[in-house]
Amino acid sequence: MGAFSILEMLNEQTLHNTAKTEAYREIVLDIDSIAITRHNHYSMNGLEKLAGNILADGELQEPLVLGRVEGKYRLLSGHRRMAAARLLIEDGHEEFRKLPCRYKDMSEIWFRLQLILGNADNREKTDYDKMNEAQELKEILQQARTEGTLKIEKGKRLRDYVAAVLGESSGKIGQLDAISSNATEEVKEQMAAGRLGITAAYETSRLPEEQQNEVAAAVAAGEDIKSREIQAMVEEQKEKEEHLRKEQVSTELQQPVVSDSDTKTKEECEHARGLHALKMLEKYYIYINEGERQILEAMLEDCKRRKQEYAIDE
């Protein structure tokens, strides 16, 4: 398979949604011969009601959509219908063991992409679903790019493709990525339970792990903690870290770098301390604000002027 563009995938999904499915072949399969992969992270609800509707109709509302990967049939679309059919079989309705399906052959990456595209618009997803979906798609696209089967358009980032497929902003995808990478399992559990939304979970993920778990425990206990409250905790933590950093810098600047031995003159000691201060400035320069930077630049220009006035050689 040659390199593909994600836009081509989106175009194919549009065709699929308008029932132009000539590439798929019809087949009837036993329910046990259809595999559900670990890549399906979507939550399912209302299965009993759906099972009742299927039983009343006497058939599935529409065929399941499958991908055949290395000869094995994998479920692409219709997870709720298949789960409802299993409920009916457990209740003794063996007539739902044979299910009408559509399938076509595809590669592993193509299957995983189609799985996400097929579920992009046809189910209601929780924030936790969206986080898993974004990470899954990011992983797929990274693998496809590494293998040379994904063509990235000039000026585009992987995040842009993920956002386009999921119908979210790049900023929202960035938040979901931060939650997935930085949030503790306790925070993710509360997100999965619907007690923490994306914004609240994102702000919580910026806290140290201990504080994250404190927030998760409070939310689990029924406390209504708003995103702005968590953001205030984040700002407070940043201020504490900034205060500790300044104290560290101050301590290091005051540490003597030469012995106070009688062999060193006062002038030599002062010179050594000055050099140490310059080294510390180089180390912590990124923390200097604009006003302090301007002062340093003015001092440098003044030193250059003095050098010229005194005609000091390099």
Side-chain angles (χ1 to χ4, degrees):
M1 182 183 297
F4 60 85
S5 164
I6 200 70
L7 294 179
E8 294 172 2
M9 292 291 297
L10 291 172
N11 289 338
E12 180 170 342
Q13 180 61 19
T14 300
L15 291 175
H16 177 72
N17 288 339
T18 54
K20 295 181 179 178
T21 56
E22 295 84 356
Y24 286 86
R25 286 173 279 184
E26 305 287 337
I27 192 172
V28 175
L29 293 172
D30 186 285
I31 192 170
D32 290 331
S33 66
I34 303 170
I36 299 178
T37 72
R38 64 178 179 83
H39 303 296
N40 178 56
H41 329 272
Y42 302 101
S43 49
M44 293 188 286
N45 48 44
L47 292 181
E48 291 79 7
K49 181 179 179 180
L50 178 58
N53 292 336
I54 292 174
L55 181 60
D57 293 341
E59 60 182 4
L60 297 185
Q61 296 168 339
E62 58 181 280
L64 303 178
V65 180
L66 315 176
R68 190 168 66 175
V69 182
E70 297 180 349
K72 303 293 184 181
Y73 293 101
R74 298 184 182 181
L75 186 61
L76 274 174
S77 179
H79 294 79
R80 292 181 69 249
R81 278 171 280 142
M82 183 168 167
R86 283 201 178 278
L87 289 179
L88 292 172
I89 294 170
E90 291 172 4
D91 286 341
H93 299 282
E94 287 292 324
E95 66 269 26
F96 292 102
R97 180 168 293 280
K98 299 292 185 180
L99 301 176
C101 305
R102 296 191 184 111
Y103 81 95
K104 71 175 180 179
D105 292 305
M106 55 186 66
S107 67
E108 173 74 22
I109 289 181
W110 198 266
F111 169 81
R112 291 172 65 186
L113 274 171
Q114 288 283 18
L115 180 62
I116 291 178
L117 290 169
N119 288 283
D121 300 314
N122 66 356
R123 70 163 70 217
E124 187 174 343
K125 290 171 284 189
T126 66
D127 290 336
Y128 188 71
D129 288 337
K130 292 177 182 178
M131 181 191 72
N132 286 325
E133 193 175 55
Q135 290 306 302
E136 175 76 5
L137 183 54
K138 177 183 175 182
E139 179 186 326
I140 293 168
L141 297 181
Q142 286 175 332
Q143 182 180 346
R145 184 167 66 174
T146 299
E147 295 177 357
T149 55
L150 173 64
K151 178 176 62 179
I152 295 288
E153 297 181 6
K154 186 176 181 180
K156 295 288 186 180
R157 303 169 299 175
L158 280 180
R159 180 188 294 185
D160 298 324
Y161 287 113
V162 174
V165 172
L166 303 185
E168 301 284 355
S169 67
S170 291
K172 180 63 68 63
I173 297 303
Q175 287 184 327
L176 292 171
D177 186 55
I179 296 168
S180 179
S181 301
N182 304 322
T184 64
E185 289 305 314
E186 289 78 359
V187 170
K188 292 176 182 177
E189 286 175 6
Q190 296 310 309
M191 187 180 181
R195 300 188 187 99
L196 281 176
I198 292 176
T199 302
Y202 166 69
E203 292 296 344
T204 304
S205 73
R206 300 170 64 194
L207 292 168
E209 287 190 5
E210 184 176 352
Q211 284 185 276
Q212 288 192 45
N213 292 338
E214 289 175 0
V215 171
V219 171
E223 290 189 35
D224 184 18
I225 302 179
K226 305 296 184 184
S227 299
R228 60 178 177 272
E229 296 177 64
I230 302 173
Q231 188 174 20
M233 294 170 62
V234 172
E235 293 303 320
E236 182 180 355
Q237 180 65 27
K238 287 172 63 178
E239 289 177 4
K240 288 181 181 178
E241 292 175 354
E242 178 67 11
H243 179 70
L244 289 173
R245 183 193 64 77
K246 287 182 177 179
E247 284 188 343
Q248 180 184 3
V249 172
S250 177
T251 300
E252 290 188 9
L253 287 174
Q254 293 174 15
Q255 288 178 349
V257 293
V258 295
S259 171
D260 289 330
S261 168
D262 293 338
T263 59
K264 296 290 184 180
T265 66
K266 181 178 180 180
E267 182 178 355
E268 287 173 331
C269 289
E270 291 297 329
H271 181 66
R273 290 192 179 93
L275 288 176
H276 179 65
L278 288 175
K279 289 180 179 179
M280 290 299 99
L281 280 173
E282 181 179 6
K283 180 178 179 180
Y284 294 104
Y285 182 79
I286 59 173
Y287 302 108
I288 293 175
N289 60 37
E290 181 62 22
E292 292 167 337
R293 185 184 63 79
Q294 292 178 356
I295 291 174
L296 286 175
E297 290 178 347
M299 291 171 61
L300 178 60
E301 291 301 318
D302 192 49
C303 289
K304 290 179 179 178
R305 177 185 59 77
R306 293 177 190 175
K307 175 179 177 297
Q308 291 177 347
E309 288 181 357
Y310 304 149
I312 298 175
D313 295 330
E314 294 287 354

